[in-house]
Amino acid sequence: MRISELSRRSGVSVTTIKYYLREGLLPAGRQTAATQAEYDEQHLRRLRLIRALTGVRGLSVSTTRDLLDVLDQHTGDTHLTLGLALGAIRLAEEPAGQAPEAAEVDALVKELGWDVHESAPARAALAETLASLRSLGVPRDWRTLLPYARLAERTAVLDLDQLDGIEDPLELAEHALLLTVLLEPALLALRRMAQENESARRHTDH
Amino acid sequence: MRISELSRRSGVSVTTIKYYLREGLLPAGRQTAATQAEYDEQHLRRLRLIRALTGVRGLSVSTTRDLLDVLDQHTGDTHLTLGLALGAIRLAEEPAGQAPEAAEVDALVKELGWDVHESAPARAALAETLASLRSLGVPRDWRTLLPYARLAERTAVLDLDQLDGIEDPLELAEHALLLTVLLEPALLALRRMAQENESARRHTDH
């Protein structure tokens, strides 16, 4: 396909596609004339993934390029592909947080028996929540999170099921990212609605 | 207690407390001298709730006052208290959204048999998610959300269990708000970690 069709099918402007080509995020097309090149489905998948990484995850162009490079070097490693797409595995290791709640998160992960990267940003998010609840006078032990974590396990099975059968690593990374990030507000909305329903069940007569 | 102790125990500055007194969010204390008043535990609970409504939920001072007025008129109605605190019940009705996805959300709620207010903002959030997924080329039917909703039901039971036994309506509203809003990033973090673990289980040898 020509660059105009690639633009139409990916939803990325021709100007931006040319910028990605210059910056090395997108490999050059097959030259068919002095000013014309042909692109294929692989270019389209890569472009969709770039859009998801820069748009949905908000990564910079240079971080996106680094991430794509690592993906290219490890095609076939589905776990790494998913970890990179979702940010569980980060390119540059950051020092572990020193918050006292970090030890509680370690205890939780150990109790769950989960296989979670040491530098996963989700660990810091959990520690921050425990610290916030404490500072606002609603202290909660990590054990409070245990039943929530068991439900999260079942949510993750639903998530991964939706990615089953996607063979292309670029498409896999894009779908993982879109379904994870875009479903977040929906899952929070479902919780709010379920709370309302549960409150009606407990506290009203109907 | 004096206003200084009220400030210390609530974490709200004396200046802000005086502002809330002037604006009618907080009832006056018991006057003990020309320039001195005594405040009690009820003032403290109310102040903590005001802090949660303006801070965690980001409501304006005037909306907070309206909400507190409605709460004062309906003490004892736990379902209304929770609905108001969490924003499921809004003070001013807004017209229902006209997005085509709104009908899908209606179908979902009907299938679940949930008791959810027609104007609950969570309905709009769900419709927006379905629209986003569609526009980004990952269309999902409302039935995809059904198993997620069943897990949300069980999450809501855990949420409501944590509020069990809190009799004071102000304290109930504050705790509901803090536990709902502050747990949101934690639940999303647990999902990310569970995804990583599930991906390791499916896609690696260990």
Side-chain angles (χ1 to χ4, degrees):
Chain A
M1 71 190 96
R2 304 274 185 80
I3 196 167
S4 54
E5 191 184 343
L6 185 64
S7 167
R8 190 181 55 73
R9 288 183 61 192
S10 65
V12 177
S13 73
V14 170
T15 314
T16 304
I17 293 176
K18 286 182 173 168
Y19 171 63
Y20 291 156
L21 286 165
R22 277 199 309 278
E23 292 293 318
L25 276 77
L26 200 62
R30 191 171 51 84
Q31 210 72 21
T32 52
T35 60
Q36 207 165 288
E38 271 286 307
Y39 299 90
D40 59 21
E41 296 296 318
Q42 196 66 7
H43 286 95
L44 182 62
R45 289 200 198 98
R46 198 172 175 98
L47 209 42
R48 285 186 170 148
L49 174 58
I50 294 169
R51 188 182 58 170
L53 289 168
T54 57
V56 176
R57 254 190 75 190
L59 297 186
S60 71
V61 166
S62 73
T63 305
T64 301
R65 181 178 43 217
D66 294 347
L67 199 155
L68 290 170
D69 285 347
V70 179
L71 279 184
D72 287 341
Q73 289 155 29
H74 298 87
T75 43
D77 187 338
T78 302
H79 182 55
L80 183 71
T81 299
L82 292 177
L84 284 170
L86 299 176
I89 301 168
R90 287 190 290 185
L91 294 175
E93 297 290 318
E94 292 174 24
Q98 295 304 312
E101 290 81 8
E104 296 197 51
V105 175
D106 289 344
L108 175 67
V109 173
K110 193 176 171 212
E111 172 76 22
L112 288 162
W114 283 2
D115 190 348
V116 176
H117 209 267
E118 277 303 323
S119 73
R123 286 177 179 264
L126 276 188
E128 273 164 34
T129 297
L130 292 171
S132 294
L133 287 169
R134 193 155 294 150
S135 75
L136 287 166
V138 194
R140 286 292 181 278
D141 190 65
W142 63 267
R143 287 174 194 83
T144 316
L145 295 176
L146 207 49
Y148 287 103
R150 292 297 178 199
L151 292 175
E153 274 178 346
R154 299 181 50 181
T155 304
V157 171
L158 296 175
D159 293 333
L160 275 277
D161 281 351
Q162 293 197 58
L163 302 173
D164 246 19
I166 303 179
E167 295 295 335
D168 183 89
L170 298 182
E171 196 180 338
L172 178 67
E174 186 224 2
H175 278 229
L177 191 49
L178 292 181
L179 288 172
T180 296
V181 177
L182 295 183
L183 276 183
E184 286 184 346
L187 298 185
L188 297 180
L190 285 172
R191 177 177 174 232
R192 296 289 185 106
M193 291 163 75
Q195 286 177 335
E196 189 184 345
N197 177 61
E198 179 66 16
S199 167
R201 210 181 59 74
R202 294 189 188 201
H203 303 300
T204 65
D205 292 332
H206 62 277
Chain B
M1 70 190 96
R2 303 276 184 81
I3 195 166
S4 55
E5 191 183 344
L6 185 63
S7 165
R8 191 181 54 73
R9 289 182 59 192
S10 64
V12 177
S13 73
V14 171
T15 313
T16 303
I17 293 176
K18 286 182 174 168
Y19 170 63
Y20 291 157
L21 287 165
R22 276 199 310 279
E23 293 292 319
L25 275 76
L26 201 61
R30 191 171 51 83
Q31 209 72 21
T32 52
T35 60
Q36 209 164 289
E38 272 287 305
Y39 299 90
D40 59 22
E41 295 297 318
Q42 195 65 7
H43 285 95
L44 181 62
R45 288 202 199 98
R46 197 172 175 96
L47 208 41
R48 285 186 170 148
L49 175 58
I50 293 169
R51 186 182 60 169
L53 289 169
T54 56
V56 176
R57 254 190 74 190
L59 297 186
S60 70
V61 165
S62 74
T63 304
T64 302
R65 179 178 45 215
D66 294 345
L67 199 155
L68 291 169
D69 285 346
V70 179
L71 279 183
D72 286 342
Q73 289 155 28
H74 298 87
T75 44
D77 186 339
T78 302
H79 182 55
L80 184 71
T81 299
L82 292 177
L84 284 170
L86 299 175
I89 301 169
R90 288 189 289 185
L91 294 176
E93 297 290 320
E94 290 174 24
Q98 295 303 313
E101 290 81 8
E104 296 196 50
V105 174
D106 289 344
L108 176 68
V109 173
K110 194 176 170 211
E111 173 75 22
L112 289 161
W114 282 2
D115 191 347
V116 177
H117 209 268
E118 277 303 321
S119 73
R123 286 176 180 264
L126 275 190
E128 272 164 36
T129 298
L130 291 172
S132 294
L133 287 169
R134 192 154 294 149
S135 75
L136 288 166
V138 195
R140 284 295 182 276
D141 190 66
W142 63 266
R143 287 174 192 84
T144 315
L145 296 175
L146 208 49
Y148 288 104
R150 293 296 177 201
L151 293 174
E153 275 178 346
R154 299 180 52 181
T155 306
V157 171
L158 297 175
D159 293 332
L160 274 280
D161 281 351
Q162 293 197 59
L163 302 174
D164 247 19
I166 304 179
E167 295 294 336
D168 182 89
L170 298 182
E171 196 179 340
L172 178 67
E174 187 225 2
H175 278 229
L177 192 50
L178 291 181
L179 288 172
T180 295
V181 177
L182 295 183
L183 276 182
E184 286 184 347
L187 298 185
L188 296 180
L190 286 173
R191 175 177 175 232
R192 297 289 187 108
M193 291 163 76
Q195 286 177 335
E196 189 184 346
N197 177 61
E198 178 66 16
S199 167
R201 209 181 58 75
R202 295 188 188 201
H203 304 300
T204 66
D205 291 333
H206 61 276

